[in-house]
Amino acid sequence: MHPGELKRKVLLVEPNYKNKYPPLGLMKLATYYKMRGDEVRFFKGDLNSFVIELYSEKLIEKFNAIDSIVDWNIHKSSISTYLRTGFSSEFNKLKTYSKNFGPSIEKWIKYYRKKYRTKKIDEVAQFDEICISTLFTFHFKITIETIIYCKSLLAKNGRIWIGGVMASVIPQEIQKETGINPIVGLLDVPKVIDSDNEIIIDELHPDYSILEEIEYEYPENNGYYAHMTRGCIRKCAFCAVPIIEPEFKDNFSLVEKVENINKNYGERRNLLLFDNNTLASDKFPQIIDEIQKAGFYKGATYVDPNLLSLSMRNLKRGINDIGYRKLFFKLVKRLSNKLHGKTKDDFFKMIENCGINMNVLPKKSQLIQLYPLISDINEEKLNKTPKKRYVDFNQGVDARLIDENIMKLLSKIPIYPLRIAFDNMNHAIDYEKAIRLANKYEIQHLSNYLLFNYKDRPEELYKRLKLNVDLCEELPDLKIYSFPMRYSPIWDDNGYHHNRKYVGMHWNKKFIRAIQCILNATKGKVGRKKSFFEAAFGKDEDEYFEILWMPERYIMNREKCINNGLKESWKILFYSLSPEEYREVKSDIESNKLKNTTKIYSSSKLNILKLHYQIRKEAILSNSIEAKEIISKSHQVMSSISLIG
């Protein structure tokens, strides 16, 4: 920021969908805007709640100016509740807190309640810059709703920036829905946001402090997030990488980034690399060297940093007061749960003496007062046990590029797990070679992605899964966990897809649903044990296809259906269908419509078969009259056919 230039109010937003990893692009933007001297906030969640938060902050500011004797901060919950609901009980409580200025308090409460109710939020939500990240196209609806809502949070002449995966792959559709042209690709050139500097945002270290501002906790929240390369040498038709990162290039300054993160936000345990094809770099030996220098060498360990101390240091430095107030208070609550007896009683007395209410986020000054009183207790309770560090090439590595030298280099770092894509049976030879090399160099925890529902056939998924199980049987130290990933196109000939209903050319809805039922039971992954695999997917391809045709409730409750005879009665009926009967019912099973149809078929056998696909889950679990009648009718119709025959 130049001398005399006004500080901008910046809001970074991630739509309120569930996702595993923090938004790296927004974290880098936070660093950029703060370098410029701007005021930055991050939010993920219900934006309506964020507006209530802004109104509450504004009211507390007003109330403090009117009557500073009252600690309005401890009444924030009542303020928020009244703004949101208009409940008279909350209103009556609030206006009694100030003995001398009740009418003024009452006036401002009513004023902001009316503002909120009429959705006039201009006074509290005037952001000069709003940056919104996007992820997958099946999050289209919630992302568009988020963008449109954010328009109402914008100051006059303010700007909205939209970037990320979805913004890059379907920019025209976002523009059509919102009137805003998204950023396509990376912020890897200067002057995209501002024209008065040469900063390349994509090369900045991410700001981890913004993650402390939100309630949402990312499942993966203790890693360094980085890229060593950008782009991919492959141009797979099913992949968005060529659009987002069209040029393959090396991009590593990992040591410097890790040092910056350690200095400003504390050490992280693991290293997550989001490269799309690291092995394609002719500088791969240097990449491995850089990873080792950053602290991720074979046998490397990590000790949890003193986050309470770090939070206090950053609060005193004025680094993200909102984020570090929240983190500090969260750590205080965790610490209290580790204490007992007199120590715990004394701990809460110290908190009380600092004027802190454990139900309300304390002021910065209260936390600064509390810290020296509890720092020794916190130090005593810190977990100082060294933990192993891991490196995760999260997007997987390319089996076609693996050779002896590559695997030897990978074995120098604590890689866990080694992820290898296995999207096509045409790559089976390269894939198996890579697995055997990994085992040779004692990289024995592996994970792979298996794309299905693209141009593959259903039996190819079975063959790929079985190959992994067979390799684990042969190489007993090997542990391969497979993750079948259903293909959904970014777009097709009929326009963009914003859901996951696409059916590949060799698949059908019933088979896809059957795979989903199996994966629901296995929590999305397929383990190394042969008995586990065969129970889930079948002992051979014939049994696999039998499972795919099976009613979905039988797939999900297989043991019960075997024991009560439902599965066997269905199987007898299904395999006894004549060619004509099979043709008559085939499309209804494949389209997964048989479970809801009221259609009357031409034979009693088909009408009884239909009952198997329509049986209620409760009837299966309780082995009710409904289940027994279906079994009985199945045997009767088969007996009558046998007698006629």
Side-chain angles (χ1 to χ4, degrees):
M1 189 166 64
H2 298 305
E5 188 178 338
L6 289 175
K7 181 186 293 188
R8 291 177 293 191
K9 288 180 66 179
V10 179
L11 176 63
L12 309 176
V13 178
E14 183 173 52
N16 194 24
Y17 41 62
K18 290 183 179 180
N19 51 316
K20 188 174 181 181
Y21 303 105
L24 188 56
L26 292 183
M27 293 166 74
K28 291 180 178 182
L29 279 164
T31 299
Y32 170 76
Y33 280 113
K34 288 178 182 179
M35 287 172 67
R36 302 275 300 171
D38 296 321
E39 179 186 310
V40 179
R41 290 192 73 161
F42 172 51
F43 188 77
K44 178 184 178 70
D46 177 6
L47 279 166
N48 194 53
S49 298
F50 179 62
V51 170
I52 289 286
E53 175 84 4
L54 294 176
Y55 270 117
S56 300
E57 290 171 4
K58 190 75 173 179
L59 263 174
I60 288 171
E61 185 183 315
K62 291 279 186 187
F63 292 169
N64 282 332
I66 294 167
D67 187 352
S68 60
I69 296 174
V70 179
D71 184 357
W72 292 104
N73 194 52
I74 66 173
H75 303 305
K76 189 175 181 181
S77 178
S78 292
I79 293 170
S80 300
T81 301
Y82 176 70
L83 287 171
R84 188 175 62 253
T85 65
F87 287 165
S88 57
S89 57
E90 298 296 339
F91 175 74
N92 291 332
K93 275 196 297 186
L94 287 167
K95 68 181 185 179
T96 61
Y97 291 136
S98 177
K99 294 179 181 178
N100 300 318
F101 301 96
S104 296
I105 298 297
E106 183 178 334
K107 181 189 81 170
W108 283 113
I109 295 171
K110 287 181 176 179
Y111 176 80
Y112 278 109
R113 165 62 185 162
K114 183 179 179 181
K115 282 276 187 180
Y116 172 73
R117 189 166 43 83
T118 55
K119 301 187 185 303
K120 293 179 180 177
I121 54 181
D122 52 299
E123 286 192 31
V124 294
Q126 294 188 333
F127 289 96
D128 303 296
E129 306 265 316
I130 300 178
C131 303
I132 305 164
S133 66
T134 67
L135 200 53
F136 303 120
T137 54
F138 50 75
H139 293 315
F140 183 81
K141 184 174 182 290
I142 190 171
T143 303
I144 295 300
E145 288 172 353
T146 300
I147 296 167
I148 291 170
Y149 195 114
C150 283
K151 282 184 166 186
S152 66
L153 307 180
L154 201 61
K156 187 178 180 181
N157 300 321
R159 301 184 296 180
I160 291 183
W161 303 96
I162 308 167
V165 177
M166 191 178 91
S168 296
V169 298
I170 54 170
Q172 298 92 342
E173 213 172 290
I174 291 176
Q175 197 282 331
K176 180 182 175 183
E177 295 288 335
T178 67
I180 301 168
N181 286 311
I183 295 171
V184 175
L186 305 172
L187 293 168
D188 57 353
V189 293
K191 302 184 180 181
V192 178
I193 302 295
D194 298 310
S195 61
D196 62 351
N197 66 78
E198 296 294 322
I199 297 170
I200 297 175
I201 294 169
D202 190 52
E203 294 180 358
L204 297 175
H205 69 266
D207 181 345
Y208 286 79
S209 75
I210 67 169
L211 306 181
E212 308 302 341
E213 296 179 39
I214 60 174
E215 298 301 319
Y216 185 85
E217 290 195 14
Y218 296 94
E220 175 49 64
N221 58 17
N222 194 17
Y224 299 95
Y225 312 118
H227 291 86
M228 302 300 286
T229 61
R230 285 291 198 177
C232 180
I233 59 170
R234 313 291 181 191
K235 305 297 177 186
C236 301
F238 57 79
C239 185
V241 171
I243 301 167
I244 303 168
E245 301 177 17
E247 181 186 353
F248 184 83
K249 57 185 179 181
D250 294 303
N251 185 47
F252 56 92
S253 56
L254 185 65
V255 172
E256 181 187 345
K257 285 189 174 74
V258 166
E259 286 174 352
N260 267 317
I261 292 164
N262 291 346
K263 177 183 174 183
N264 291 296
Y265 315 111
E267 284 191 57
R268 327 298 285 186
R269 180 177 178 182
N270 299 323
L271 173 62
L272 278 80
L273 295 168
F274 296 122
D275 301 46
N276 291 295
N277 201 339
T278 318
L279 303 187
S281 173
D282 57 8
K283 296 180 180 178
F284 190 68
Q286 291 99 305
I287 288 174
I288 293 296
D289 186 54
E290 184 84 0
I291 290 170
Q292 290 177 302
K293 286 178 180 176
F296 291 88
Y297 46 85
K298 199 81 171 183
T301 58
Y302 153 94
V303 175
D304 290 324
N306 187 335
L307 291 178
L308 196 76
S309 172
L310 179 119
S311 300
M312 181 50 54
R313 185 199 70 185
N314 284 353
L315 279 172
K316 288 179 177 179
R317 291 165 65 190
I319 297 175
N320 197 341
D321 280 2
I322 292 174
Y324 284 112
R325 278 169 63 205
K326 288 184 175 181
L327 176 58
F328 190 101
F329 196 39
K330 180 167 66 176
L331 293 169
V332 167
K333 289 181 176 180
R334 284 184 191 168
L335 181 56
S336 72
N337 292 330
K338 297 177 183 178
L339 305 178
H340 304 281
K342 187 177 184 302
T343 305
K344 189 164 190 171
D345 292 340
D346 291 343
F347 184 79
F348 279 112
K349 282 178 184 175
M350 288 186 280
I351 290 172
E352 187 180 338
N353 290 338
C354 293
I356 294 173
N357 182 325
M358 290 297 282
N359 297 313
V360 180
L361 181 65
K363 299 174 186 176
K364 178 177 175 177
S365 59
Q366 291 173 319
L367 297 178
I368 291 173
Q369 182 185 354
L370 177 65
Y371 176 69
L373 304 177
I374 65 170
S375 60
D376 288 345
I377 299 172
N378 177 67
E379 181 69 29
E380 183 185 331
K381 293 296 180 181
L382 285 176
N383 182 357
K384 298 176 183 178
T385 305
K387 300 172 184 175
K388 288 184 179 179
R389 273 186 155 170
Y390 299 113
V391 177
D392 181 1
F393 288 93
N394 190 259
Q395 303 302 100
V397 296
D398 190 340
R400 292 163 287 183
L401 299 175
I402 291 176
D403 58 22
E404 187 103 17
N405 185 52
I406 290 288
M407 196 59 74
K408 191 174 182 180
L409 286 168
L410 285 170
S411 71
K412 292 182 177 181
I413 59 175
I415 192 162
Y416 182 93
L418 175 59
R419 303 181 193 271
I420 306 178
F422 188 15
D423 292 329
N424 194 312
M425 274 304 291
N426 293 335
H427 304 153
I429 293 173
D430 291 324
Y431 174 78
E432 183 174 347
K433 176 188 171 186
I435 297 295
R436 292 185 182 280
L437 279 172
N439 186 68
K440 176 180 177 180
Y441 285 95
E442 298 183 344
I443 301 174
Q444 290 159 335
H445 287 84
L446 296 103
S447 171
N448 65 14
Y449 305 118
L450 294 90
L451 186 74
F452 73 96
N453 189 44
Y454 182 51
K455 293 180 180 179
D456 58 311
R457 294 180 179 276
E459 59 267 31
E460 291 178 38
L461 175 60
Y462 182 86
K463 288 174 180 176
R464 285 180 282 160
L465 289 167
K466 188 174 185 300
L467 175 58
N468 283 333
V469 172
D470 289 344
L471 285 167
C472 288
E473 281 272 298
E474 180 190 341
L475 307 168
D477 292 329
L478 204 60
K479 296 177 178 65
I480 306 175
Y481 289 92
S482 302
F483 293 85
M485 309 289 284
R486 178 185 172 183
Y487 170 72
S488 293
I490 299 165
W491 56 76
D492 69 2
D493 294 337
N494 300 316
Y496 297 121
H497 277 269
H498 306 139
N499 56 46
R500 305 183 187 187
K501 295 181 180 178
Y502 176 79
V503 177
M505 63 176 74
H506 300 300
W507 288 79
N508 59 62
K509 287 184 179 179
K510 175 65 182 72
F511 285 8
I512 290 170
R513 179 59 187 155
I515 296 297
Q516 289 172 329
C517 289
I518 296 169
L519 294 176
N520 282 342
T522 65
K523 301 190 187 311
K525 68 181 179 181
V526 183
R528 65 192 294 268
K529 291 186 178 179
K530 187 174 183 180
S531 58
F532 176 91
F533 168 72
E534 290 182 348
F537 289 91
K539 294 178 181 177
D540 52 36
E541 286 185 41
D542 288 341
E543 195 169 304
Y544 168 67
F545 274 101
E546 179 182 300
I547 293 167
L548 297 185
W549 286 111
M550 192 185 297
E552 64 182 62
R553 289 200 172 107
Y554 291 8
I555 297 172
M556 298 182 77
N557 302 280
R558 231 174 303 173
E559 188 174 343
K560 191 79 176 174
C561 292
I562 290 170
N563 292 338
N564 63 20
L566 277 167
K567 183 196 166 190
E568 188 61 27
S569 60
W570 164 81
K571 183 177 175 180
I572 291 168
L573 273 179
F574 183 77
Y575 283 111
S576 71
L577 296 180
S578 66
E580 294 78 14
E581 288 172 324
Y582 178 70
R583 281 194 294 271
E584 184 179 350
V585 78
K586 179 175 180 285
S587 64
D588 287 341
I589 298 178
E590 288 181 337
S591 62
N592 219 22
K593 292 179 180 176
L594 194 60
K595 61 182 180 181
N596 296 315
T597 187
T598 57
K599 182 176 177 180
I600 305 300
Y601 292 96
S602 63
S603 75
S604 56
K605 193 192 299 181
L606 289 177
N607 289 314
I608 300 302
L609 183 71
K610 178 177 70 173
L611 298 178
H612 285 277
Y613 288 85
Q614 297 183 345
I615 188 171
R616 295 175 304 113
K617 178 183 176 181
E618 295 75 16
I620 295 171
L621 297 178
S622 64
N623 198 22
S624 69
I625 293 173
E626 179 186 348
K628 292 174 181 175
E629 284 183 349
I630 290 173
I631 295 169
S632 176
K633 287 177 180 178
S634 300
H635 288 305
Q636 285 173 16
V637 73
M638 291 306 299
S639 297
S640 64
I641 291 168
S642 178
L643 288 170
I644 293 169

